[in-house]
Amino acid sequence: MGANETSEAGEPSRAVDAVALDEVVSFTSDLIRIDTTNRGGGDCRERPAAEYVAERLAAAGLEPTLLERTPGRTNVVARIAGTDPTADALLVHGHLDVVPAEPADWSVHPFSGEVRDGVVWGRGAVDMKNMDAMVLAVVRAWARSGIRPRRDIVLAYTADEEASAVDGSGFLADHHPELFEGCTEGISESGAFTFHAGPGMALYPVGAGE
């Protein structure tokens, strides 16, 4: 279906962005290969993943800010300006760290980012480098198409979610609240998975407050 064609329901339809589909896979694999294992006690280094994200946001015309409480424990924040300055802003956030993985327990190396049988394998493929990559791909697709959201979108890629969050969201909230000015809602991983509650029943959780 072309970009200017109409769906059977009579609604305008956009063509699928093939570049975005390729990028979401490659970005997920690349991020998995960057070992950001968080063992607690400060034993993690998210900076390489943060720099990877920031480079791709900058290539989409954004101005990402890298922020650290502790050297190497890096957060990335960027804002996409909306078309309506009176509208409330929306926070879209994900974390860059992952829980530990023992390679001997895996049939595919957990930090390989291998694509096999139509699936990306590795630690973080579900929690949550997949969503990190998806957001990157969408933002870059918007830039290519000249799309701007109505409301400001604040993007945050945080450190230390899998432990105390003192180097991640806690640090940002306490020391850089101005970056989230106007945000009235946030979207993150709680809606990024499907919960199969029974035969024929799929739930898509939404966290109203956490």
Side-chain angles (χ1 to χ4, degrees), residues 64-137:
T65 301
L66 278 68
L67 300 155
E68 295 181 342
R69 172 182 174 270
T70 304
R73 308 303 306 275
T74 315
N75 304 272
V76 184
V77 181
R79 182 179 286 255
I80 302 171
T83 59
D84 182 357
T86 68
D88 295 329
L90 174 68
L91 170 64
V92 179
H93 61 104
H95 60 87
L96 296 170
D97 58 329
V98 297
V99 295
E102 177 54 56
D105 296 334
W106 289 62
S107 60
V108 176
H109 194 285
F111 300 105
S112 68
E114 181 178 340
V115 179
R116 180 192 295 182
D117 301 325
V119 177
V120 181
W121 295 80
R123 175 61 86 213
V126 175
D127 181 13
M128 67 174 296
K129 290 180 175 179
N130 57 334
M131 183 172 166
D132 292 339
M134 178 188 69
V135 174
L136 273 181

Side-chain angles (χ1 to χ4, degrees), residues 6-187:
T6 302
S7 69
E8 292 181 2
E11 297 294 329
S13 177
R14 295 184 182 276
V16 172
D17 188 325
V19 174
L21 293 178
D22 289 339
E23 284 191 341
V24 75
V25 175
S26 63
F27 292 169
T28 301
S29 292
D30 288 348
L31 286 169
I32 288 171
R33 294 184 189 111
I34 301 172
D35 187 348
T36 53
T37 300
N38 189 345
R39 298 176 179 84
D43 182 13
C44 186
R45 187 170 181 269
E46 293 91 347
R47 187 170 186 90
E51 291 176 344
Y52 180 97
V53 166
E55 288 173 4
R56 281 146 188 82
L57 291 176
L62 301 182
E63 297 180 359
T65 301
L66 278 68
L67 300 155
E68 295 181 342
R69 172 182 174 270
T70 304
R73 308 303 306 275
T74 315
N75 304 272
V76 184
V77 181
R79 182 179 286 255
I80 302 171
T83 59
D84 182 357
T86 68
D88 295 329
L90 174 68
L91 170 64
V92 179
H93 61 104
H95 60 87
L96 296 170
D97 58 329
V98 297
V99 295
E102 177 54 56
D105 296 334
W106 289 62
S107 60
V108 176
H109 194 285
F111 300 105
S112 68
E114 181 178 340
V115 179
R116 180 192 295 182
D117 301 325
V119 177
V120 181
W121 295 80
R123 175 61 86 213
V126 175
D127 181 13
M128 67 174 296
K129 290 180 175 179
N130 57 334
M131 183 172 166
D132 292 339
M134 178 188 69
V135 174
L136 273 181
V138 168
V139 168
R140 290 163 60 89
W142 284 358
R144 286 191 299 273
S145 302
I147 294 173
R148 287 181 61 194
R150 185 179 69 86
R151 63 200 297 188
D152 281 13
I153 306 293
V154 176
L155 306 174
Y157 292 81
T158 64
D160 201 24
E161 190 271 351
E162 299 291 2
S164 67
V166 296
D167 282 309
S169 57
F171 163 67
L172 294 176
D174 290 342
H175 296 279
H176 298 281
E178 72 283 354
L179 296 175
F180 308 98
E181 182 178 356
C183 291
T184 53
E185 295 88 27
I187 294 176

